[in-house]
Amino acid sequence: MSRNFTFAPGEYYHCYSRGTEKRKIFLNKKDYERFIALLFVCNSIKTIHLSDFSKKTFGELFEIERGGSLVEIGAYCLMPNHFHLLLHEKQEGGISLFMQKVMTAYTMYFNKKNERTGSLFESRFKAEHANNDRYLKYLFSYIHLNPIKLINSKWKESGFKNTKKMKSFLEDYGYSSYLDYSGNNRLQNVIINKDIFPNYFNDTKGFENEIFDWLDVKVEP
């Protein structure tokens, strides 16, 4: 897939990819946790040898000394057959290298675990340039609300009125940065860097209000 832009330092991008032939790429909790840990481990200017960390626990992976990072991550969400990332390009080539490291490392893990070979993801990752403030702010809601499709696949067309049910589901889901914005203290907090992104949400309540507002309207694809 050709892009009509070039990644540029200082800019923001929505990057995403799905499994080849729309296959599931996360089959259980361990798969989700491995990919989440890779978002931290692979975000390094150093060459990472994953074999060095094969015996570390999920928690221990967030304690390694990475050195400088390639990108800044503002939000992420993992779904059964795809993932979404909101990234800030720190240095030229940072996003491309980061995405290559994460997707290659996860494919190696997944193929070995499931005794398969070949590509796991559809071609190269896709990306959209968040080149205006309105779209960038919208992406925080779009990415964090993705899991709602698992309980109501048509919510974007019909809206979602049961806010209590939605909030409970997102808090239990755990495979996105939603909990990092809603005030939870957890290991995964170190993955994202809120300071590099515009301060759209003054506090936890502001973040939740922004998210909930999207549930009461029909959203164009």
Side-chain angles (χ1 to χ4, degrees), residues 50-69:
L50 295 176
S51 59
D52 296 341
F53 313 115
S54 60
K55 295 183 179 180
K56 291 186 179 294
T57 65
F58 179 67
E60 289 173 340
L61 287 171
F62 292 99
E63 297 174 355
I64 67 170
E65 200 60 49
R66 297 180 305 170
S69 59

Side-chain angles (χ1 to χ4, degrees), residues 5 17 25 29 49 56 69 80 119-120 123 129 142 145 150-151 158 160 168 170 180 191 199 204 208-209:
F5 62 84
S17 186
I25 56 177
K29 180 181 178 181
H49 300 287
K56 291 186 179 294
S69 59
S119 300
L120 178 61
S123 60
H129 185 193
Y142 173 79
L145 288 174
L150 298 175
I151 56 175
S158 61
F160 197 101
S168 177
L170 291 180
D180 304 307
I191 293 175
N199 185 23
T204 298
E208 292 183 347
N209 286 341

Side-chain angles (χ1 to χ4, degrees), residues 77-89:
C77 180
L78 279 53
M79 297 288 283
N81 70 347
H82 67 280
F83 65 85
H84 296 270
L85 302 174
L86 181 56
L87 303 178
H88 172 263
E89 174 94 323

Side-chain angles (χ1 to χ4, degrees), residues 15 47 49 125 131 151 184 211:
C15 301
T47 299
H49 300 287
F125 70 94
N131 57 358
I151 56 175
N184 283 261
I211 293 291

Side-chain angles (χ1 to χ4, degrees), residues 146-160:
N146 247 255
I148 298 300
K149 291 187 290 187
L150 298 175
I151 56 175
N152 183 350
S153 61
K154 302 294 184 182
W155 80 265
K156 289 185 180 181
E157 293 79 19
S158 61
F160 197 101

Side-chain angles (χ1 to χ4, degrees), residues 104-118:
T104 299
Y106 185 75
T107 298
M108 291 172 63
Y109 153 82
F110 188 90
N111 283 356
K112 181 178 180 180
K113 176 173 173 280
N114 296 286
E115 299 182 340
R116 71 180 296 273
T117 58

Side-chain angles (χ1 to χ4, degrees), residues 8-148:
E11 295 294 306
Y12 304 98
Y13 301 90
H14 173 208
C15 301
Y16 52 100
S17 186
R18 70 174 64 248
T20 182
E21 298 178 343
K22 299 183 179 180
R23 67 161 297 147
K24 288 186 177 181
I25 56 177
F26 305 114
L27 305 180
N28 52 40
K29 180 181 178 181
K30 185 177 180 180
D31 290 348
Y32 284 103
E33 290 186 342
R34 173 55 69 98
F35 193 93
I36 289 171
L38 288 173
L39 292 178
F40 176 76
V41 173
C42 293
N43 190 12
S44 171
I45 59 176
K46 295 180 179 179
T47 299
I48 298 296
H49 300 287
L50 295 176
S51 59
D52 296 341
F53 313 115
S54 60
K55 295 183 179 180
K56 291 186 179 294
T57 65
F58 179 67
E60 289 173 340
L61 287 171
F62 292 99
E63 297 174 355
I64 67 170
E65 200 60 49
R66 297 180 305 170
S69 59
L70 291 168
V71 301
E72 303 293 359
I73 302 175
Y76 68 88
C77 180
L78 279 53
M79 297 288 283
N81 70 347
H82 67 280
F83 65 85
H84 296 270
L85 302 174
L86 181 56
L87 303 178
H88 172 263
E89 174 94 323
K90 288 184 64 176
Q91 59 187 44
E92 189 173 349
I95 286 179
S96 295
L97 180 56
F98 170 70
M99 293 295 288
Q100 178 189 35
K101 290 171 70 174
V102 170
M103 294 170 70
T104 299
Y106 185 75
T107 298
M108 291 172 63
Y109 153 82
F110 188 90
N111 283 356
K112 181 178 180 180
K113 176 173 173 280
N114 296 286
E115 299 182 340
R116 71 180 296 273
T117 58
S119 300
L120 178 61
F121 297 97
E122 283 183 346
S123 60
R124 68 172 179 168
F125 70 94
K126 298 178 175 61
E128 297 170 355
H129 185 193
N131 57 358
N132 67 74
D133 197 62
R134 183 173 180 270
Y135 180 51
L136 179 58
K137 183 179 181 181
Y138 161 72
L139 283 172
F140 282 92
S141 295
Y142 173 79
I143 289 173
H144 287 125
L145 288 174
N146 247 255
I148 298 300

